Each structure stands twice: as C-alpha cells, then as structure tokens.
Amino acid sequence: MTKPLKVSIWRGGADGDYQSFEVPAKANQTVLDVVTWVQRHADATLAYRFACRVGMCGSCAMMVNGEPRWTCRSHVSSVIRDGQLKLAPLANLPVIRDLTVDMTPFFDKWQRAEARFHPSMTRRDEVPAIKPDTAARKAADAAVECINCGVCYAACDTVRWNSNYLGPAALNRAWTLVNDERDAGTRQRLAAVSGTGGCYNCHSHQSCQAYCPKALNPTRSIAGLKRAGLAAKP
Amino acid sequence: MNARLYYWQRMTAAVMVPLIAVHLVTMIYAIGNGLSAAEILGRTQGSVVWALFYGGFVAAASVHAAIGVRTVIGEWVDVRGKAQDGFAVIFCIVLLGLGGRAGVAVVM
C-alpha cells in the first residue's frame, strides 16, 4: 500500500498557522484533489476556492510548497517534496481564511490600469473584420488567454515590495487592449499604466512568465507598454 | 517609478556605457605602459576634452544612481512620497559634489 501524503495546510487568517493532515495517495492525484479530500473526510470547515477543475476559471490558485500554482492542473507527483505538501493562500493578497484570499486588490488594479475595453463603435456599426496576421493582433493574441488566476501576482517580487504596483496580470491585459484595433482607450490607458505604480516599476525578474500556468509572458507585455508609453509621451 | 524617471535612468545608462568603456580601456592602457599617477595627471590637467568626459560621466552617474536609490528605498524600506523624492535629490547632489570634486582634481 502506498504511504499517505503528509499535507500541511494554512488555517485561519493572516495570523494563523499550519495544520497537518495525512491524505491517501492515489495515482494521477492533483493538489486540488488533496484539498478536497481534506475538506470532505478530515475537516469540513476548511475554506478554499475552486469551480471548473479543468484549468479554465482561475479560482483554485494557491501556494504549493512555497510556489504559486493552479491546483486543479498540478499533479501531486510533480510538486511534492520529500513526500510532503505545504499549502498556503496566494501570496501578496489579504488572507480571508485558510486557503482563500481577498482578490479585491487584484481586480481593483485591473480597473486602475484601464484594463477594460473602451468601445470605439456602437451596435449600429458594422462588425469590423480583425485580420489575424497583423503585428498588433499577434501581440494581443500572445497575451490574451489570461484566466485571472492571480498566480503571476503572487509570484511577483515587485508586488511584494510595492503594494501600489499594478502587477503583471492587469498590465498584461492592458497590453492586449493597446493592441486591439476596436478599442478606443489607448490614450488614457497608457497614462494610467505610466504613472506611480505603473509598468515602469517592473524589474523584469520574469517570475510572472516562469509561473504563469497558461505559459503567457507578462514581462514581454509590460516591456511593450514601457515602449508604447515612452513613444506616446517622450 | 514613472515614465519620466524611467526615461532619464535609461538615457543616463546609455550615456555611461561608452564612457565607462573608454575609461576602463584608457586606464588599463595607461597603467600597462607604466605611467605614474603624476604623469597621467600631467596629461589630463588642463584638458577640455577630459573635463567634458568626466563631467558628463559624473552628471550621468549622479542622475542614474539617484533614480535607482529612490526605487530601492521605496521598495526595501518603504520610504514613499516627498521623503523618497527628497532623499533622491539630496543623493544626486551629494554624488555631483563628490564626483565633481574628483573631476576637478583630475582636470584642473
């Protein structure tokens, strides 16, 4: 019989502590499977988030052995160390309880970065044809598959050092919109991401692209914003 | 850091790159040929070219370092706002003073 997994899970708020559990080891087990087993069989009060379980919704991210991961697609076998799993809420965000964090600062920064679509037409206008092979569309496509999981935000050193920094996800989204020919908000968006806490704070450590579960490269998007911001306002 | 500070830090870095290369190569060349400090100063003192060279380097380094230190004190010791800007300005002035003093000794 396979030895059970030794799992430490953060309990409580910011001043909480780790609690140990033993979880049956199974083949092809994900970290989310482990957390779900604990809640269903060991302690029903354990708080955590998940929804789709297939890597689409971005709800289940947490720190696994000190590194941010999407837990529904992280196999235990690929992240376990010395037979142990240490699970904590996502870094750089306020802890609500156990493995759940308050995502409000994360999404507030999307708004601050003007990382939302500014329509340039009305519903009476004809739908424009978007050519997939233009440089702008390729740049947008390369960055557009973000699922808002917060892994990059938790991995970012600059966010940890500067709570005012907008973070990789919001800036990555802003970059897709700068390259969206249907969008009319580039001027105010570049102003928003060029000020205090904006893209120029990025040190290009590239933790965001190292940990992004969708294999995006927010550092490259931020570099694009830096260039576009300087070109707009030398 | 905003766009303006980023621009100035990158521009001063671009200015320093060739100046540092010329400084290092000249220094190694001069020492390698056995010139003494007095002989080197004899060549640099009174030279407008070397005055402009080291004057430009001191100015660029002072601005570049002050912007960097401004970021460091913001991120590592949480000094923000006017205190952060004020420290950077003072740091820049101190570097200009120290560097300028050294430059004057080399060319005057």
Side-chain angles (χ1 to χ4, degrees):
Chain A
M1 188 178 160
T2 317
K3 278 171 61 176
L5 303 170
K6 290 181 178 173
V7 184
S8 299
I9 299 181
W10 185 262
R11 303 306 305 270
D15 56 352
D17 203 354
Y18 287 95
Q19 185 179 354
S20 298
F21 298 92
E22 287 204 342
V23 178
K26 293 180 180 173
N28 301 319
Q29 192 174 22
T30 66
V31 176
L32 185 61
D33 292 335
V34 170
V35 178
T36 301
W37 188 94
V38 171
Q39 197 205 46
R40 290 186 182 173
H41 300 281
D43 187 343
T45 67
L46 177 66
Y48 69 108
R49 282 200 190 99
F50 74 96
C52 74
R53 297 177 295 172
V54 291
M56 290 174 67
C57 73
S59 307
C60 67
M62 56 186 83
M63 305 301 288
V64 180
N65 285 341
E67 298 178 41
R69 304 273 185 196
W70 56 352
T71 56
C72 69
R73 300 292 296 273
S74 296
H75 279 242
V76 169
S77 58
S78 65
V79 294
I80 198 162
R81 279 190 209 146
D82 303 324
Q84 298 199 24
L85 279 179
K86 195 171 191 179
L87 307 178
L90 270 184
N92 298 338
L93 287 163
V95 181
I96 298 173
R97 184 165 69 85
D98 302 342
L99 299 170
T100 54
V101 292
D102 181 1
M103 299 289 282
T104 306
F106 178 77
F107 288 112
D108 280 351
K109 287 177 178 178
W110 282 58
Q111 297 302 319
R112 265 181 52 206
E114 292 285 346
R116 58 196 161 81
F117 186 64
H118 290 254
S120 56
M121 292 177 286
T122 70
R123 65 182 65 189
R124 291 173 193 83
D125 294 313
E126 202 169 319
V127 177
I130 305 296
K131 291 182 179 172
D133 55 353
T134 62
R137 193 60 234 170
K138 284 179 181 173
D141 283 344
V144 84
E145 295 291 346
C146 174
I147 57 172
N148 320 340
C149 62
V151 162
C152 61
Y153 192 84
C156 179
D157 294 324
T158 311
V159 171
R160 188 167 78 246
W161 295 328
N162 180 2
S163 58
N164 201 31
Y165 177 49
L166 295 170
L171 293 169
N172 181 73
R173 175 64 181 142
W175 176 241
T176 65
L177 290 164
V178 165
N179 286 288
D180 189 334
E181 62 186 86
R182 301 163 302 165
D183 182 272
T186 292
R187 221 173 118 222
Q188 60 261 49
R189 187 171 300 113
L190 288 178
V193 301
S194 297
T196 305
C199 62
Y200 296 102
N201 290 277
C202 172
H203 293 296
S204 304
H205 288 176
Q206 305 200 47
S207 298
C208 51
Q209 67 97 12
Y211 285 102
C212 176
K214 302 291 287 183
L216 304 182
N217 188 347
T219 312
R220 185 168 56 200
S221 300
I222 294 166
L225 284 177
K226 287 175 178 174
R227 287 193 299 272
L230 285 181
K233 195 176 73 174
Chain B
M1 170 141 13
N2 57 31
R4 191 177 299 274
L5 291 173
Y6 178 86
Y7 175 82
W8 280 104
Q9 198 177 33
R10 264 45 185 187
M11 287 302 107
T12 50
V15 167
M16 282 192 291
V17 167
L19 298 185
I20 290 169
V22 170
H23 171 74
L24 289 176
V25 169
T26 309
M27 191 177 66
I28 292 166
Y29 176 76
I31 300 295
N33 282 290
L35 285 179
S36 67
E39 288 169 327
I40 292 171
L41 286 174
R43 286 162 170 77
T44 58
Q45 285 174 342
S47 165
V48 176
V49 173
W50 285 117
L52 289 173
F53 182 91
Y54 282 111
F57 181 81
V58 167
S62 302
V63 171
H64 184 87
I67 295 171
V69 166
R70 180 186 175 279
T71 299
V72 170
I73 63 169
E75 292 184 350
W76 288 23
V77 286
D78 207 24
V79 175
R80 311 267 179 196
K82 286 182 181 172
Q84 186 183 18
D85 292 335
F87 185 89
V89 169
I90 291 168
F91 192 76
C92 181
I93 291 169
V94 168
L95 288 183
L96 282 171
L98 292 172
R101 189 164 162 262
V104 166
V106 170
V107 297
M108 290 184 73

